[in-house]
Amino acid sequence: MVPKKLHFTYKKPELPEKYQANLAKWSDLCPEWELYYYTDEDVQAYFDCEFPEYSEDLQKISVGAMLADVFRYAVLYKEGGLYSDIDTIPLKSIPDEWLKFDAVIGYEYQPDRFPELLSKQWKYEPIYCQWTFLASPGNPLFKEALDRSFRKL
């Protein structure tokens, strides 16, 4: 079962207004969900505590998007819930029926359903959404993604 936890990260404690508005929208649409916000410093502390085997390597990551990538895998594996990039604007609440699944991963692009969008920038294979995931705690998919990410550093 997916817990009602919303996870977001941004490099520093002071959020630009547009991101504050996004978090407020998430809270309005998902009032029963707990919202967690992590700075880069919080992410390091999280790894120090929960994944000490990766803590030193984490410090080598200088690109914020890459830090968010490994963090989303870590927090969903440990805590479960929903991770979304902070610039994602929710349009409606999360359906309760999704909470019974071990994971929900959407498509960013499906060429068979939307062939008119096909262009040189897109391949012919489906592209999975990387910026929002939903998972139950302990889902091995996210531990594998975390482990692979650090092996490729």
Side-chain angles (χ1 to χ4, degrees):
M1 182 85 170
V2 175
K4 291 185 174 186
K5 297 179 178 182
L6 301 168
H7 303 280
F8 303 90
T9 185
Y10 186 69
K11 58 187 168 189
K12 54 189 180 179
E14 302 80 29
L15 281 176
E17 285 185 28
K18 64 183 178 180
Y19 298 152
Q20 291 176 32
N22 287 356
L23 294 186
K25 181 104 174 171
W26 278 104
S27 291
D28 288 346
L29 290 173
C30 304
E32 298 173 2
W33 291 61
E34 298 174 60
L35 191 143
Y36 297 89
Y37 166 67
Y38 308 84
T39 65
D40 286 0
E41 190 175 301
D42 295 330
V43 169
Q44 182 65 54
Y46 190 86
F47 272 85
D48 291 347
C49 180
E50 300 293 341
F51 298 95
E53 67 273 26
Y54 294 134
S55 192
E56 195 173 310
D57 286 336
L58 188 76
Q59 296 172 26
K60 298 174 187 173
I61 299 174
S62 60
V63 178
M66 288 178 61
L67 184 63
D69 286 345
V70 297
F71 177 66
R72 73 188 78 204
Y73 305 142
V75 77
L76 285 181
Y77 177 70
K78 254 331 173 182
E79 311 289 331
L82 178 135
Y83 171 90
S84 189
D85 284 349
I86 202 157
D87 60 352
T88 302
I89 301 168
L91 301 177
K92 52 184 165 179
S93 62
I94 299 160
D96 281 339
E97 59 266 19
W98 288 7
L99 304 181
K100 66 182 177 188
F101 296 107
D102 290 330
V104 176
I105 301 170
Y107 288 104
E108 187 163 343
Y109 173 63
Q110 292 176 276
D112 58 331
R113 289 193 60 206
F114 303 101
E116 69 278 7
L117 298 178
L118 189 62
S119 70
K120 292 179 183 179
Q121 75 184 45
W122 299 100
K123 297 180 181 181
Y124 289 95
E125 297 89 35
I127 297 172
Y128 295 102
C129 175
Q130 169 71 4
W131 37 269
T132 301
F133 296 125
L134 189 74
S136 57
N139 188 305
L141 172 68
F142 293 96
K143 181 64 164 89
E144 178 64 24
L146 179 66
D147 293 343
R148 282 182 185 225
S149 296
F150 277 99
R151 281 196 304 267
K152 291 185 176 204
L153 274 183

